[in-house]
Amino acid sequence: SWHLGGLVLVTSHGFSGAYNGSRFGISASAIAGSGTHMERDFDAEARIHRSDLPAPAEIGRKAGERAVKRLHPRQMETFKGTVVYDPRVATGLIGHFAGATNGAAIARKTSFLRDKLGEAVFAEGVQISDDPFRQRGLASRPFDGEGVAAEPMDLVDDGRLLAWILDSASARQLGLVTNGRAVRGGSNTSPGATNLTLHPGAMSPEDLIASVGNGLYVTELIGHGANLVTGDYSRGAAGFAIENGEVTYPVSEVTVAGNLVDIFSRLTPANDLTHRFAVNAPTVAVDGLTIAGR
């Protein structure tokens, strides 16, 4: 796929500006097995420059290998343990964080983080930043939907929540100043992140998994089971069992559940961050989640 688009903005405050942007993508879905014993998986990449895309054969090979690995899945026994999120699904946790720090939700008092500004929300060492100027970032832009030139900012530093994602309207409601995160949809704007990143930790994914003992390695999540008012979290999941620190048999038809307050405070990132999308995260581990199987 390819896309070319841009924005021309002229405001009553005297601002005028314009920019263009390109995007190229490649994806493949693969089905393995036969009859009623079939599994599916995929791989996908998106880039600003077409020359940065991996070869189609690489995308297809990864999709095929992932589908084959998922053949003949089992259910797990229900237990409370550690869930390791593959980077493809770890971005969902950071997406929930972005929703909970959205200035509009804070102003409406519909976020479970509304009283947490300045407090430790994640473990020590965890950093989450938003950078509208990241080179070749999929959401990079010179100004926001209101003509405000935003700066890179840390939303979380050493586990502490430092800022909300604000446009002018939500900032006024909160008695603050916009930090240039307005996203335009037609004639209206709303707060939204740009290139949002959970920074890597010190451990490799292999060492992180080895430290788990027994748990679940999640490669796919199903449903939208995150309540950003209460923080309650429940998602259908598929992936692989972790036994004695090693990834073993494929697993499906399980649910992972907890509360995002606890999930964030127990989240440990690995060191395998790659910038593939507008929201990026490395492999992460979260202990104390309920893994519901048979």
Side-chain angles (χ1 to χ4, degrees), residues 92-147:
L93 293 176
I94 308 309
H96 297 323
F97 168 77
T101 54
N102 184 292
I106 301 301
R108 292 193 303 265
K109 301 185 184 302
T110 56
S111 167
F112 69 95
L113 293 179
R114 61 187 178 275
D115 299 320
K116 300 294 187 181
L117 192 64
E119 297 183 12
V121 174
F122 290 83
E124 290 184 6
V126 173
Q127 182 179 4
I128 299 175
S129 65
D130 187 70
D131 184 1
F133 299 147
R134 187 166 67 79
Q135 188 175 19
R136 298 193 173 192
L138 288 177
S140 295
R141 62 195 185 196
F143 54 85
D144 76 350
E146 296 175 322

Side-chain angles (χ1 to χ4, degrees), residues 130-133 141-144 147-153 166 178-182 192 194:
D130 187 70
D131 184 1
F133 299 147
R141 62 195 185 196
F143 54 85
D144 76 350
V148 177
E151 295 292 332
M153 69 174 183
L166 299 170
T178 178
N179 47 35
R181 264 62 186 183
T194 61

Side-chain angles (χ1 to χ4, degrees), residues 1-3 23-29 42-63 66 86-88 134 136 138 272-280:
S1 63
W2 68 273
H3 170 80
R23 180 174 298 192
F24 298 86
I26 185 168
S27 63
S29 294
F42 73 96
D43 192 38
E45 297 279 355
R47 297 287 189 272
I48 293 296
H49 294 264
R50 184 178 179 182
S51 59
D52 291 342
L53 281 174
E58 181 181 344
I59 297 293
R61 177 181 56 80
K62 286 183 179 179
R66 287 170 174 167
D86 181 88
R88 293 192 297 169
R134 187 166 67 79
R136 298 193 173 192
L138 288 177
D272 59 336
L273 175 70
T274 58
H275 292 283
R276 301 174 60 191
F277 303 108
V279 179
N280 295 284

Side-chain angles (χ1 to χ4, degrees), residues 71 74 118 140 154 214 231 267 286:
L71 286 172
R74 308 182 222 165
S140 295
D154 288 333
N214 297 325
L267 184 149
V286 180

